[in-house]
Amino acid sequence: MRAAALLTAALLLLLSGCGDGGVRDVTVAREIEDLELIRAMGVDRTEDGVRVTLASAREIASGGEEKSGGGNEAVVLSQSAGTVSQAVARMQSFGSKGVFYGHIGSYLVGETLARDGIRDYLDYVERNPEMRLETDLYVIRAGTANGAIAAMTGEGYDINERLEFLQENADLSADTHPVTVRMFLIRTERYGSTICPALRLTEHREGDGARGDSALLPDGFAVLTDGRLRGYLDGEAAYGASLLMNETSEDTVTVTAPGGVRVALTLSDCRTRVRPEFDRDGTLTALRVTTRLRAGVDEVEGRLDLESMAVTEALCRSLETLERSRMEEALALAKSWNADCFGLGARAALAAPFRWREEAWSPAAVPVIVEVEAQVERSYDSFQSA
Amino acid sequence: MRLFRRKPVPVPPHTRRAADYPGALSARALRDLLGGDADFAARELWLGGDPEKPAALFWLDGMTQGEKLAGELLRPLSEDQRLKQAGSPEETVQLLLRGGLWCAAVRRVDTLDGAARALMGGSAVLIPDGAAFGLACMVRTEERRSVEAPENEKVTKGSREAFSEELRVNTALVRKRLRTPRLRIAEEIVGRESLTPVDVLYVDGLTDPALVEEVRRRLGKIDTDELFAAAWLEEYLIDQRTIFPLILTTERTDKLCSHLMEGRVGLLADGLPTAYILPVTLPQFLRAMQDNASRPLMSSVLRVLRYLSVLVTLLLPAFYTAVATFHQEMIPTRFALSIIASKQDVPFVTTMEVLIMLLAFEILQEAGLRLPQNIGQTVSIIGGLVVGQAAVDAKIVSPVVLIVVAAAGITGYTMPNQDFANALRLWRFLICVAAALMGLFGITIAMAVMLYRLASLETFGVPYLTPFTGPPRRPGQRSALLRLPARQVKLRDSVLHPQNEREQR
């Protein structure tokens, strides 16, 4: 029995590819308390390479409450080098703990580096066994990742809290949604272009909920073609981008009802489909983007007969007009960069796989027709309830 | 293979013969043999009050019941006038065998060895003067522990009868519950000195005769001086060396009957309040009689919970060791931060922490078992709460390790069979050491070795992992994971080769 057990174990070791890169790599023991858990990683362009900035997670006391005191605050490490790997390797010797990348949740890219192209710098994320492709990707608009991390990390607060909040509560706002490194790479490979959320470091103002002197706020989406930053979709275009990407799960919009009464509507169900249109010769003539929305009345500033079909119809038309203009604005910007950052071509190809010709599709040349069908449902009538 | 085997050391053979006292029976020989014993008692009689017909009556004080001795033997022997009128000694014996003695069981013994064994069994031996034979009259004392409720296999609904140390009481309990005349009780005497009767129970026409034959053959092969301990019978019957139990033990009469009706063989040994059931497979150790006392859905949920508990009690400390030492990326970040915070100032590495706590848990458990029940509970509470908390406060171990070890220990208590739970406890240590050496890879190897070992086990020709290995379950058979409604169980387990596979219409 002992011989058989040993033989089995030996065979399993062989199956593992024991040797270089095999068992030895997966059996390196490190005590968890000797590790500095990095939660955010930022990469910026420097004159002779890159600057990598790391922010560790703040430690939590055994009782669950966050500890106060310098030793337990988030640690920010920064190093410039020719490559990300080199910078990261140099930082291993910093501090009293080993740097551990297995808990990185956010990958921040400075705008300068984004303009040069981030694809090459994501290669480190792909190859490092500790890092995860599920890491969220952000572009720091008009700033550097190092600046954002440094500004947002201080006594009693760190950038990770903010980034975690943005990731976990992305559903609350329709002008941003998280994009992971995996999604970014796949979309870049398939569509050529894609979007990723942009963050802007601003000065702290009263009421923005930020701690410290700065605030890190979502600021639309960065559009990247082949990994290079082309521009930003912000404002109404950002809402349109989320609709086009089918990422709007919840949003609140304000429309004007007959009589000038302002009504807040909450979008609850948004679905966008893309269909190609061909002429008799099979030539692609247009893409038709159809968005179906369902919304409930959230707030009415004035008296309004919500049971009236005419009022409901008017609310629907107003909502359709608003959302159509948002999407058209986003599409117009994308068209100006000749970027299919919403993957319209790939989605249209799935809708008509046998008639689709890839070479016929060009974001700049093929018109995109936007249709919005809205359905407004009355949630409750406060006057009748009273 | 010589690399792993030690050179065998010769041991002296067991040379004594089966019969200890082969000589002829006589009153004098019996006195010579046992007369020096303090409990040996003898009385001279005149059969039918005739001085011409002396006889001697022998018994062991304490093994016999005085009332029976006086009422069923002494009184008829001295007052029955037919004994006086009997001519030859043979005629006297026939008269005694056929009603002259009032006790229920009388048999003739012709050897000194037989007479001595009869005395040890609670009989009184009557030897007419000059005769080379005797009459063994069963007047055994009825003093025994009453039938009590089971201590370790309690149910909220159902029978509360447990086996006791008295073999005949135990067989009677089975007979009372399983009233079929086809219930067979065959007896083997095991132990040259202890002379322990071991009864083999099975249902004729249902249990595989080859299985019964094999059990009796193995019982017959046992050649030892004594059979006292509960585990010895299992060790003698099973050839394979493993920590996992290969014979199911129970103190519940209904459980034994239930298994007999599934086509298994039961063993009852005198002096042991435990029944042995064989052959058994791994799922039997995860079934509790309580399952049959609850609704099928509830029982199924509990049974699945027990299987999950096996994994938790076996793997949780090892898994924690592996992820905290090798695979920190698997831990959710907030939890990882909690662990780091809790391990601040703890001097031991994770592996040592876990092993220390596992060892402490086992020591506490052992201490609780050895002490009287009330003190044992106190030790458990003090050990678990006070010492545990003090160890955490003193930064000897981290609270997470305390929780992990406690959770693994407590889930181990859900096992219905203590022997199986003990096997899991030992493997828990081994897997934990493997995890400490190679992380999840080590756990995988340890589990593979354990599964290999389990898959190589069999009891009386039945693979231990049945029905997880072997042919698929037929519709109508019992499920290992779920407790099917009683109406749906139509067939007995085919691996037992029952003579009648159909259990109900």
Side-chain angles (χ1 to χ4, degrees):
Chain A
M1 168 56 203
R2 281 178 297 178
L6 286 172
L7 188 65
T8 308
L11 285 172
L12 284 168
L13 280 170
L14 290 174
L15 287 172
S16 72
C18 179
D20 289 344
V23 174
R24 198 182 57 192
D25 283 358
V26 297
T27 56
V28 178
R30 290 176 298 185
E31 287 299 314
I32 190 170
E33 66 269 27
D34 296 334
L35 299 177
E36 194 74 61
L37 304 187
I38 303 300
R39 290 291 288 144
M41 182 175 190
V43 186
D44 293 300
R45 162 68 68 207
T46 59
E47 285 182 4
D48 53 351
V50 290
R51 179 187 184 90
V52 177
T53 309
L54 306 174
S56 73
R58 271 195 300 159
E59 290 175 7
I60 299 170
S62 56
E65 71 274 17
E66 293 173 356
K67 280 184 177 178
S68 59
N72 303 306
E73 295 299 328
V75 176
V76 175
L77 305 173
S78 186
Q79 177 67 42
S80 296
T83 60
V84 175
S85 299
Q86 199 176 5
V88 161
R90 286 180 185 172
M91 279 189 279
Q92 282 291 356
S93 60
F94 292 3
S96 58
K97 292 182 174 183
V99 181
F100 185 66
Y101 300 93
H103 285 267
I104 288 183
S106 308
Y107 192 86
L108 280 60
V109 178
E111 189 178 85
T112 310
L113 186 137
R115 289 199 186 282
D116 289 349
I118 64 174
R119 179 68 186 81
D120 295 343
Y121 300 100
L122 293 180
D123 192 61
Y124 178 78
V125 181
E126 289 182 83
R127 291 181 189 277
N128 189 317
E130 285 184 5
M131 293 198 67
R132 307 170 186 184
L133 289 173
E134 304 311 319
T135 304
D136 289 331
L137 181 65
Y138 297 96
V139 172
I140 303 298
R141 191 168 180 178
T144 63
N146 175 267
I149 291 173
M152 292 299 296
T153 304
E155 191 174 336
Y157 61 96
D158 64 65
I159 191 170
N160 305 309
E161 292 172 357
R162 180 66 185 146
L163 294 171
E164 280 173 24
F165 176 83
L166 288 174
Q167 185 206 23
E168 291 166 6
N169 300 286
D171 289 350
L172 298 178
S173 178
D175 61 346
T176 186
H177 62 259
V179 172
T180 63
V181 171
R182 181 193 300 278
M183 287 161 65
F184 178 84
L185 293 171
I186 289 172
R187 287 175 181 174
T188 302
E189 192 67 28
R190 287 183 185 168
Y191 311 155
S193 296
T194 189
I195 60 174
C196 91
L199 301 174
R200 185 188 287 273
L201 186 68
T202 62
E203 284 189 9
H204 168 57
R205 65 168 180 79
E206 197 66 30
D208 64 5
R211 287 189 281 180
D213 298 330
S214 306
L216 193 63
L217 301 173
D219 195 8
F221 296 98
V223 176
L224 298 106
T225 301
D226 291 331
R228 289 188 171 79
L229 179 65
R230 301 299 303 274
Y232 293 96
L233 298 171
D234 50 13
E236 295 298 297
Y239 289 98
S242 284
L243 276 173
L244 286 163
M245 294 295 286
N246 252 335
E247 293 281 359
T248 302
S249 58
E250 197 175 307
D251 189 23
T252 302
V253 297
T254 303
V255 296
T256 306
V261 177
R262 286 196 294 183
V263 178
L265 300 173
T266 299
L267 304 185
S268 57
D269 186 15
C270 310
R271 290 184 185 176
T272 299
R273 296 179 64 185
V274 182
R275 293 195 319 274
E277 292 190 348
F278 301 94
D279 63 10
R280 293 191 175 190
D281 301 331
T283 307
L284 180 67
T285 55
L287 294 188
R288 186 173 294 275
V289 175
T290 308
T291 300
R292 287 192 170 84
L293 307 171
R294 288 177 65 193
V297 176
D298 210 28
E299 183 185 353
V300 181
E301 292 187 352
R303 294 189 70 89
L304 199 64
D305 182 10
L306 289 172
E307 290 189 346
S308 163
M309 287 291 287
V311 170
T312 310
E313 285 295 317
L315 290 174
C316 288
R317 298 295 86 77
S318 298
L319 181 59
E320 287 169 2
T321 305
L322 174 67
E323 298 297 355
R324 189 185 307 115
S325 69
R326 285 175 163 181
M327 287 195 283
E328 285 175 346
E329 189 176 335
L331 285 167
L333 283 167
K335 190 173 183 177
S336 69
W337 298 317
N338 192 24
D340 183 16
C341 53
F342 309 118
L344 299 181
R347 289 154 73 184
L350 285 175
F354 299 110
R355 301 173 70 187
W356 183 261
R357 298 285 176 273
E358 189 63 42
E359 59 276 10
W361 162 242
S362 166
V366 178
V368 179
I369 303 162
V370 178
E371 287 180 347
V372 179
E373 297 171 14
Q375 184 184 351
V376 174
E377 294 166 342
R378 184 172 61 93
S379 51
Y380 66 93
D381 190 324
S382 58
F383 291 107
Q384 285 190 356
S385 299
Chain B
M1 295 299 284
R2 286 296 296 262
L3 185 66
F4 303 108
R5 285 188 181 166
R6 290 178 184 169
K7 192 177 176 184
V9 179
V11 291
H14 201 184
T15 53
R16 285 180 296 153
R17 293 162 298 177
D20 291 320
Y21 309 107
L25 176 61
S26 68
R28 184 186 179 84
L30 202 55
R31 274 201 180 90
D32 290 344
L33 179 64
L34 300 171
D37 295 329
D39 59 346
F40 182 74
R43 182 167 172 182
E44 303 294 336
L45 302 168
W46 290 340
L47 296 179
D50 184 356
E52 300 296 321
K53 294 184 175 177
L57 185 65
F58 303 97
W59 70 92
L60 293 178
D61 198 18
M63 294 288 289
T64 54
Q65 191 172 351
E67 291 173 7
K68 283 185 181 178
L69 205 60
E72 298 175 7
L73 292 180
L74 293 176
R75 188 171 178 184
L77 284 172
S78 56
E79 292 183 359
D80 193 341
Q81 292 303 310
R82 291 177 300 168
L83 293 171
K84 193 175 180 180
Q85 294 158 5
S88 64
E90 189 58 36
E91 191 180 346
T92 305
V93 168
Q94 289 302 322
L95 192 61
L96 291 170
L97 283 171
R98 298 181 192 286
L101 293 172
W102 293 359
C103 58
V106 181
R107 65 184 172 88
R108 180 174 169 146
V109 286
D110 293 309
T111 63
L112 182 61
D113 197 60
R117 290 188 183 209
L119 285 174
M120 303 301 158
S123 294
V125 174
L126 176 72
I127 303 177
D129 188 42
F133 60 85
L135 295 176
C137 313
M138 181 53 73
V139 286
R140 185 169 53 194
T141 179
E142 298 294 328
E143 285 177 17
R144 59 174 71 103
R145 189 163 66 93
S146 61
V147 176
E148 293 171 358
E151 284 187 8
N152 301 319
E153 298 172 82
K154 290 177 180 167
V155 295
T156 52
K157 288 187 284 182
S159 165
R160 286 181 168 76
E161 276 183 349
F163 289 117
S164 67
E165 288 77 6
E166 195 68 29
L167 179 61
R168 278 295 152 258
V169 173
N170 293 344
T171 53
L173 289 172
V174 178
R175 283 261 187 226
K176 268 173 31 184
R177 192 159 297 276
L178 197 60
R179 296 179 184 171
T180 172
R182 293 195 291 134
L183 172 66
R184 295 282 172 267
I185 303 176
E187 191 159 281
E188 302 280 344
I189 303 296
V190 178
R192 290 183 179 185
E193 304 294 348
S194 67
L195 298 172
T196 310
V198 178
D199 284 5
V200 181
L201 287 79
Y202 62 97
V203 179
D204 194 23
L206 171 61
T207 312
D208 181 14
L211 173 64
V212 177
E213 188 58 33
E214 179 61 17
V215 172
R216 296 194 68 176
R217 188 185 70 78
R218 292 193 190 189
L219 272 177
K221 276 179 65 181
I222 300 174
D223 189 9
T224 179
D225 284 350
E226 76 275 358
L227 182 72
F228 297 136
W232 290 359
L233 197 58
E234 178 176 354
E235 289 170 29
Y236 283 124
L237 287 173
I238 300 294
D239 299 330
Q240 301 175 78
R241 284 186 199 168
T242 174
I243 187 67
F244 283 97
L246 297 177
I247 290 183
L248 182 64
T249 54
T250 182
E251 54 183 343
R252 297 187 60 84
T253 56
D254 53 351
K255 189 169 183 177
L256 174 63
C257 294
S258 168
H259 281 282
L260 289 177
M261 287 310 296
E262 287 180 29
R264 293 189 174 83
V265 171
L267 294 178
L268 288 167
D270 193 44
L272 295 175
T274 310
Y276 300 83
I277 299 164
L278 47 95
V280 283
T281 56
L282 186 139
Q284 313 297 330
F285 295 99
L286 292 164
R287 286 187 195 168
M289 281 310 286
Q290 178 69 32
D291 294 353
N292 296 333
S294 308
R295 302 290 298 165
L297 184 61
M298 193 63 222
S299 301
S300 300
V301 169
L302 290 175
R303 208 176 276 180
V304 170
L305 200 65
R306 272 184 225 127
Y307 277 92
L308 290 176
S309 296
V310 169
L311 293 178
V312 171
T313 193
L314 206 55
L315 297 178
L316 187 62
F319 186 74
Y320 173 76
T321 305
V323 296
T325 314
F326 292 93
H327 317 285
Q328 293 87 356
E329 68 280 359
M330 289 181 67
I331 311 173
T333 305
R334 287 186 183 279
F335 184 41
L337 291 171
S338 275
I339 293 173
I340 290 173
S342 70
K343 281 173 70 67
Q344 295 294 338
D345 305 325
V346 174
F348 300 111
V349 295
T350 307
T351 304
M352 284 305 296
E353 267 188 277
V354 171
L355 289 178
I356 287 171
M357 280 310 296
L358 280 176
L359 205 60
F361 189 84
E362 296 299 330
I363 290 169
L364 278 173
Q365 192 171 339
E366 196 61 20
L369 283 175
R370 297 285 87 80
L371 290 167
Q373 191 174 5
N374 293 338
I375 303 175
Q377 286 177 353
T378 311
V379 166
S380 300
I381 293 167
I382 290 174
L385 295 178
V386 180
V387 178
Q389 186 59 42
V392 169
D393 291 342
K395 300 287 183 188
I396 295 170
V397 293
S398 60
V400 183
V401 169
L402 193 68
I403 293 167
V404 164
V405 172
I410 289 167
T411 46
Y413 291 139
T414 60
M415 297 301 112
N417 186 281
Q418 192 59 40
D419 293 334
F420 189 72
N422 291 341
L424 295 180
R425 283 162 63 188
L426 192 68
W427 271 98
R428 183 164 61 201
F429 271 99
L430 296 177
I431 296 172
C432 202
V433 170
L437 293 173
M438 301 178 81
L440 289 179
F441 193 71
I443 294 179
T444 309
I445 291 175
M447 286 298 286
V449 171
M450 192 184 87
L451 282 176
Y452 171 84
R453 183 65 185 134
L454 286 175
S456 65
L457 293 176
E458 62 171 40
T459 55
F460 290 86
V462 178
Y464 196 56
L465 289 184
T466 305
F468 303 119
T469 57
R473 187 182 72 89
R474 290 181 298 170
Q477 279 189 331
R478 284 179 178 77
S479 165
L481 277 178
L482 307 176
R483 210 277 270 177
L484 299 177
R487 286 184 184 184
Q488 290 183 20
V489 181
K490 306 278 189 190
L491 300 174
R492 295 189 170 89
D493 204 345
S494 58
V495 293
L496 298 172
H497 306 297
Q499 290 182 296
N500 176 14
E501 284 199 37
R502 192 82 184 184
E503 194 165 326
Q504 63 175 322
R505 190 162 65 86

